[in-house]
Every structure is written in structure tokens, then in C-alpha cells.
Amino acid sequence: MKPTTYSFSKLLLFVFLFCAIALYTNAQKLPNKQEISLRAPANIKIDGKVDEWDNKFQAYNNANRVFYTIANDDDNLYIIIKATDLYSISKIGIGGIIFTISNLTDKKLREKAVDNITIQFPVININKSTLFESTIRQYQDLKTDAVTNKKEIEGLIESGNKRIADMFKDIKVTGIKTIDELIPVSNTNSIQAAGGFDKQMNYINEIAIPLKYLNSVITNGQQFSYNIKLKGAPTPEDWLRINKFPPPQAERNDGDVDHDYKYRDAPTDFWGEYTLAKK
């Protein structure tokens, strides 16, 4: 007897649920912060994909709700981030990610060290800051019947990646005196950044920073600090600068603020330590 479309839909739903459970279980097993130094794959490419990493990450950070890996080779320092749920993806889409590197490991001093280097990508246009969430919500609706909506899902992912390419055109750099604060993604400084949706509509963010720019904060063989910050929603002051009102904050039926939306809108960050991996 031939399987029906209904049975295929049930199978696809089971696969989606299985993947979601596996993803959650994997997050539970990973440390909150990366614990090892890691050499980057020889075939690494900054393209918003994680094929060369076998889709494996070194940590799942609870504050930011993202998977991440920091690695290096002889030329670059890399940070790869994966967001898998509606609110973490939306948070990146409305505020971007800031990666900070400090030569200090003292918890009281590193945050305000004057020689910190920061790389922000993506840099978000406030007028387009709600587009990510609407795309992910469309995907969540479509994947309830992944067989029937297969073409629509593929089209949504394709259009979402085209939108990312259109939106995420700049990298913001602070602390490197020889580089302008705002540079294009296609730049002559060899700082690389890319973002994109994978086939499950997870968002992947990749940054590569040449080690030659980090000499002031990274001493070969010594531990340094890093910070990963998801900025969250623009502030009321940001909205006033473009003469617009911020969108209303979502509330639950009991009148309290929805904690997922509170996470999405508020800045979250954490500090960790890393030592360059040698061959």
C-alpha cells in the first residue's frame, strides 16, 4: 500500500520534533562557555554556513540562547554563532551581535578596558529591524505541514537569505586605529563576516578577524577575554532619533511582561576566556 500525503506529513512532523528534542538535548550537554582552544578547519569559509564544522559547536550559552564556537588558525580568530529559536533569531535581527576582545582577564577591569577591540555584525538598520521575526513566524506556520509547504519553505529560506544579503552590508569596528569604524562586508582589511539561514531556518553568524589587528590585546600563548553580546531592541532614544515610536511590548494574559519578549528586547552578554590554539 502506498503511503499517503497525510502519513508523510506525520512523518515530517515527527522528524521536526525529533530534531528539536535532539537540539535541546545537545544544548543541555554542552558547557555554558567554551572550555577548550580549537584550531579552525583547514577548509574554513566565512559564508554563513557551518558545513566545514559538521554543525558541531563548543558551547551553548544560556544568557544569549545561542550555540557558539571560537577558533583560530595562524592568521585569523573566528567566532561562529548559531541561533535556533524565534526569540534569539529575532534578537539578532533587531540589534545585531557585538564581539569584544580584551587583553585583561580580571572580571572587574576587562569590561571597561580602553584598548578593547569590538566587531559588530550584523549592523542593523532600525527601519528594517522587525523583518527577521516575521520571516521566522512564517516558517513556523509553514513547517506544521512540511510536505505540502515544501516549496514555500524553500522559497522562504531563499528569500530570507537574499534579505540578509541586502540588509547586512556593514561591519562596525572599534579599537583598531588603522580601520574606519564602519566598513563594508566586502572590505580591503580582510575582516570577514557573513550570516544566513540554514535549511531548518536556524540563523548562522560568522566573523573572522586577522590576528595582525589583535596584537594589542592578544599576546601569543597568553589567555585573553572575549565577550559576546546580543544588543536586543533599539532604545527609545534610538527610535526618537528617526522620529518613530517603538513597537509596544508584548504582555501575557495576566498583564505581566512576556519573558521571551523581555529577553528579545533587552541586551544580554557574557564573558569567557580563550588561548590561541597551536598546531
Side-chain angles (χ1 to χ4, degrees):
M1 184 175 66
K2 292 184 178 180
T4 64
T5 301
Y6 175 71
S7 64
F8 273 125
S9 298
K10 287 182 68 178
L11 176 61
L12 261 293
L13 180 60
F14 172 79
V15 170
F16 275 119
L17 288 173
F18 178 81
C19 290
I21 293 170
L23 193 65
Y24 175 78
T25 304
N26 187 36
Q28 294 296 99
K29 291 181 179 179
L30 290 172
N32 193 45
K33 298 179 185 179
Q34 183 168 327
E35 298 173 344
I36 64 169
S37 299
L38 187 69
R39 294 288 294 186
N43 62 334
I44 188 170
K45 185 178 181 181
I46 306 303
D47 55 3
K49 301 176 183 178
V50 289
D51 298 341
E52 65 270 43
W53 299 90
D54 294 328
N55 202 27
K56 294 179 181 178
F57 290 83
Q58 293 300 312
Y60 177 82
N61 184 257
N62 294 304
N64 280 334
R65 298 191 192 179
V66 295
F67 296 86
Y68 80 97
T69 293
I70 293 177
N72 67 276
D73 52 26
D74 293 338
D75 300 313
N76 296 290
L77 182 69
Y78 304 93
I79 171 72
I80 297 90
I81 290 173
K82 178 180 178 180
T84 61
D85 73 276
L86 168 66
Y87 300 98
S88 59
I89 296 172
S90 297
K91 188 183 182 89
I92 293 169
I94 61 177
I97 299 170
I98 301 176
F99 182 51
T100 300
I101 306 159
S102 176
N103 69 340
L104 301 178
T105 55
D106 187 297
K107 295 180 181 180
K108 295 181 180 179
L109 301 176
R110 60 190 177 186
E111 184 173 356
K112 297 182 179 179
V114 295
D115 58 351
N116 286 354
I117 291 173
T118 67
I119 306 292
Q120 179 178 344
F121 180 84
V123 178
I124 304 298
N125 181 330
I126 190 172
N127 289 306
K128 299 178 180 180
S129 61
T130 60
L131 295 178
F132 250 37
E133 184 166 328
S134 61
T135 300
I136 300 303
R137 288 192 182 279
Q138 288 179 60
Y139 172 72
Q140 289 185 332
D141 290 340
L142 290 170
K143 78 174 184 179
T144 57
D145 190 347
V147 173
T148 302
N149 300 325
K150 183 176 183 292
K151 289 186 178 180
E152 286 83 354
I153 290 173
E154 291 173 349
L156 184 65
I157 293 171
E158 182 180 357
S159 64
N161 282 326
K162 287 181 179 178
R163 185 175 293 177
I164 286 171
D166 180 60
M167 288 173 58
F168 299 169
K169 292 187 174 182
D170 295 311
I171 304 169
K172 186 176 181 180
V173 181
T174 61
I176 303 176
K177 295 178 180 179
T178 57
I179 299 179
D180 293 335
E181 184 172 285
L182 201 65
I183 60 174
V185 169
S186 299
N187 61 78
T188 58
N189 307 108
S190 299
I191 295 178
Q192 302 175 66
F197 291 119
D198 65 14
K199 293 180 180 179
Q200 287 74 46
M201 211 77 189
N202 302 311
Y203 175 73
I204 309 297
N205 202 76
E206 295 187 293
I207 298 172
I209 313 163
L211 291 174
K212 65 182 180 180
Y213 295 129
L214 305 178
N215 289 332
S216 62
V217 291
I218 297 180
T219 303
N220 189 32
Q222 292 189 1
Q223 192 177 61
F224 60 91
S225 295
Y226 63 88
N227 180 273
I228 300 173
K229 181 176 184 178
L230 275 58
K231 286 182 65 180
T235 66
E237 291 77 15
D238 292 331
W239 288 102
L240 284 173
R241 277 195 286 272
I242 62 170
N243 296 316
K244 288 189 176 182
F245 291 103
Q249 193 171 41
E251 293 185 350
R252 303 185 316 207
N253 293 333
D254 59 7
D256 196 6
V257 174
D258 187 292
H259 292 292
D260 283 323
Y261 281 97
K262 188 175 181 180
Y263 153 79
R264 184 202 65 178
D265 292 345
T268 54
D269 74 295
F270 71 97
W271 284 93
E273 294 78 39
Y274 186 82
T275 303
L276 293 180
K278 298 179 180 180
K279 283 185 179 178

